[in-house]
Amino acid sequence: MNELPQSPKVSTIRHLKVVSPLPSPIRNGTPHMRTEYELYLTRRLAPTSIRLRQFWLTKFAAHHDLLTATENDVYTFLSDNNHWSPETVQTVIASLRVFYVWAEKKGYCGNIMEDVQRVKVHRRTSRIASDETLEHAIASASPRNAVSATFQIA
């Protein structure tokens, strides 16, 4: 049987290829735990979303062991980074929540994110350009872009 050579950061299971751009945040557990989690993510999320989830999980795991962390560890991690925007905090919470829901279903650990509250993120109002700004943009645009912008405004 011919097997394709694989780099240490690529795993193949049942014809699914999972690329791991970051080091594993999972320090203990079964040897297949990381691969199982990555496959779980590939079934649900786009590659960019997977990288984002892994990024925040790795950042949290640099300070706390994922399988023994507590809810207080999560709050400490968030408060130590109080310069983050509400949007970033919500992304971190969502990333950790996805992992711990999965880990609980698989029996690796309890869901410490169960009672962690979501952060309220206020929607920002769009800034509308003034008529003068639009007229200046059309006047200084190339003829092709000016025609396109005129049709979009009308």
Side-chain angles (χ1 to χ4, degrees):
M1 177 183 281
N2 292 341
E3 290 192 31
L4 297 173
Q6 296 179 1
S7 71
K9 293 190 177 191
V10 177
S11 304
T12 306
I13 294 183
R14 295 186 198 174
H15 310 292
L16 290 175
K17 194 173 192 179
V18 180
V19 179
S20 305
L22 300 169
S24 176
I26 302 170
R27 287 184 265 199
N28 58 13
T30 68
H32 300 290
M33 184 176 175
R34 176 183 180 194
T35 305
E36 287 179 43
Y37 180 63
E38 289 173 345
L39 286 173
Y40 171 75
L41 291 178
T42 58
R43 292 183 186 121
R44 302 181 64 228
L45 301 171
T48 309
S49 298
I50 293 170
R51 287 187 63 212
L52 185 64
R53 297 277 194 240
Q54 288 178 330
F55 173 80
W56 289 116
L57 196 60
T58 301
K59 201 160 178 78
F60 180 73
H63 302 282
H64 306 284
D65 180 37
L66 293 176
L67 299 182
T68 59
T70 65
E71 183 179 335
N72 286 337
D73 293 333
V74 173
Y75 283 118
T76 301
F77 178 68
L78 295 174
S79 65
D80 287 347
N81 296 289
N82 60 4
H83 58 279
W84 288 342
S85 70
E87 292 87 351
T88 300
V89 172
Q90 190 56 39
T91 301
V92 172
I93 290 172
S95 297
L96 294 175
R97 184 169 281 136
V98 167
F99 173 76
Y100 282 106
V101 165
W102 171 83
E104 182 179 47
K105 283 181 185 176
K106 291 291 186 175
Y108 291 116
C109 62
N111 182 2
I112 64 170
M113 298 300 293
E114 205 165 39
D115 295 326
V116 174
Q117 298 297 311
R118 294 177 55 93
V119 175
K120 187 166 188 161
V121 177
H122 297 284
R123 287 193 170 188
R124 296 184 178 146
T125 56
S126 300
R127 196 171 56 114
I128 300 172
S130 67
D131 290 340
E132 294 82 26
T133 304
L134 292 174
E135 288 171 2
H136 175 69
I138 292 171
S140 62
S142 69
R144 179 179 178 202
N145 289 340
V147 169
S148 176
T150 304
F151 282 121
Q152 290 178 7
I153 293 172

